[in-house]
Amino acid sequence: MGPTRTSGRGGRTRATATAAVCLLALGTLTAGCRVEPAGAAGTPAPMSPATDSAHPTDDAKPGGGPTSASPSRSASPSPSPSTASPSASASAAPDGRSPDAPPPPEPETLMKTGDDSDRVRELQARLRQIGHFDRSPTGYYGTTTEASVRSFQAKRGLSGTGRTDAVTWERLLGMTREPTAAELRPPTEREVAKPDPRCMTGRVLCISKNSRTLAWMIDGRVVSSMDVRFGSQYTPTREGTFAVYWKSRHHVSTLYDSPMPYAMFFSGGQAVHYSSDFAARGYSGASHGCVNVRDEAKIASLYAQVKNGDKVVVYH
């Protein structure tokens, strides 16, 4: 065909309209390739895909969103104090102590077997006041004293150790009075026997096997007296009139390897001396022929007074 001919005002109007449409199409194509930052003014930000609709739960309606949150994707509840792990709360013992806390310390031990002191003498005197010690105080804590303390503890509901701890001592003090001088150091456990006539003159250690006592006498007067123990039937203490021929303050028996403090020898190897065994066991034991004294304070005083050559009388 040949070219269209436009003529006049109408042709010019159509040419202008055609040009405007072309410019508008070109602008649209150009705008489609422009990069705009998300959220820029006038441009909506892209939306996240709806994950719930892609993974419907058991409660989802066909073609619709979920009506409730999925249990498998719900947030885990925060632990409450009542449902916290047992390890989170410290385990406490019923009495308020931690299970790992050490037990309370044992009471302090004030006196025990082997002790020798005036305090032990007071202990024995107080126990004797209430019937738990059946002899004169000696000041030595032996098996007899241990048994007496254990008896006292058992009757009072205390731990029966036989040792005098602070609790036992306080309980005993509360049940007894302060011992008198005569209770602490009685002359003898037994009544002193009537002196043998041989004891009535001079300086004499007057020793009675019958009463088991020793009286230190000067010119017929009793200066002091004390309990004594003798040898067994196999090693008897010799009877008769003798004289002290040797004194040994820290003597140890060469035959039996046993200590014989304050020894005053009067017949061969037989002597008057202190015996810790006598102090501990009383008359349940025996010597090897010597005259045992169980009161150390008394024999110490006697040892200081007796001289070599003083008379010794042993009789029934």
Side-chain angles (χ1 to χ4, degrees):
M1 288 179 62
T4 304
R5 297 177 63 95
T6 59
S7 65
R9 183 179 296 176
R12 286 195 299 269
T13 301
R14 284 194 299 273
T16 301
T18 302
V21 171
C22 290
L23 287 174
L24 180 59
L26 178 62
T28 302
L29 291 174
T30 305
C33 298
R34 228 160 124 192
V35 177
E36 291 285 348
T43 306
M47 297 186 63
S48 300
T51 56
D52 282 329
S53 60
H55 302 282
T57 66
D58 292 342
D59 292 330
K61 304 271 189 306
T67 57
S68 63
S70 168
S72 62
R73 288 157 38 125
S74 60
S76 300
S78 300
S80 64
S82 59
T83 59
S85 169
S87 60
S89 59
S91 299
D95 58 1
R97 290 189 301 106
S98 169
D100 295 330
E106 294 291 332
E108 177 188 4
T109 297
L110 305 179
M111 290 168 274
K112 62 184 184 305
T113 302
D115 290 350
D116 193 346
S117 66
D118 286 341
R119 196 178 194 184
V120 174
R121 185 181 295 274
E122 180 183 352
L123 167 70
Q124 294 166 335
R126 287 180 180 273
L127 287 171
R128 191 176 189 182
Q129 288 177 10
I130 55 177
H132 285 278
F133 194 74
D134 62 354
R135 60 193 59 186
S136 296
T138 64
Y140 182 79
Y141 205 118
T143 55
T144 299
T145 303
E146 180 182 337
S148 299
V149 171
R150 188 178 290 109
S151 171
F152 173 81
Q153 291 170 328
K155 190 167 184 179
R156 270 76 197 178
L158 304 175
S159 179
T161 62
R163 300 186 302 272
T164 303
D165 55 39
V167 174
T168 300
W169 182 241
E170 287 300 323
R171 182 71 65 88
L172 181 61
L173 290 179
M175 298 180 61
T176 56
R177 54 175 171 74
E178 185 175 351
T180 64
E183 287 176 322
L184 290 171
R185 287 182 168 81
T188 59
E189 185 178 274
R190 300 169 179 272
E191 185 178 355
V192 178
K194 180 181 179 179
D196 184 271
R198 292 169 290 179
C199 302
M200 300 308 294
T201 57
R203 298 162 57 90
V204 187
L205 292 172
C206 193
I207 303 170
S208 168
K209 284 187 171 181
N210 186 48
S211 66
R212 295 191 284 191
T213 59
L214 180 156
W216 167 233
M217 301 181 67
I218 299 178
D219 296 331
R221 177 178 62 89
V222 176
V223 178
S224 63
S225 59
M226 57 204 73
D227 297 321
V228 291
R229 185 179 71 172
F230 304 98
S232 67
Q233 60 177 326
Y234 305 104
T235 55
T237 303
R238 289 183 282 273
E239 298 177 22
T241 302
F242 311 92
V244 174
Y245 69 87
W246 181 40
K247 295 172 62 180
S248 179
R249 167 65 182 84
H250 301 286
H251 193 76
V252 176
S253 171
T254 56
L255 184 60
Y256 300 105
D257 194 30
S258 58
M260 299 169 57
Y262 305 103
M264 295 172 280
F265 290 89
F266 62 85
S267 176
Q270 295 188 354
V272 176
H273 68 85
Y274 171 71
S275 169
S276 60
D277 182 75
F278 183 27
R281 300 172 58 201
Y283 291 103
S284 60
S287 74
H288 291 99
C290 290
V291 178
N292 292 164
V293 177
R294 64 181 173 188
D295 192 319
E296 188 172 9
K298 285 187 175 182
I299 195 170
S301 176
L302 178 64
Y303 183 88
Q305 299 174 59
V306 171
K307 301 175 182 178
N308 287 339
D310 287 345
K311 190 189 301 182
V312 178
V313 176
V314 183
Y315 67 101
H316 263 98

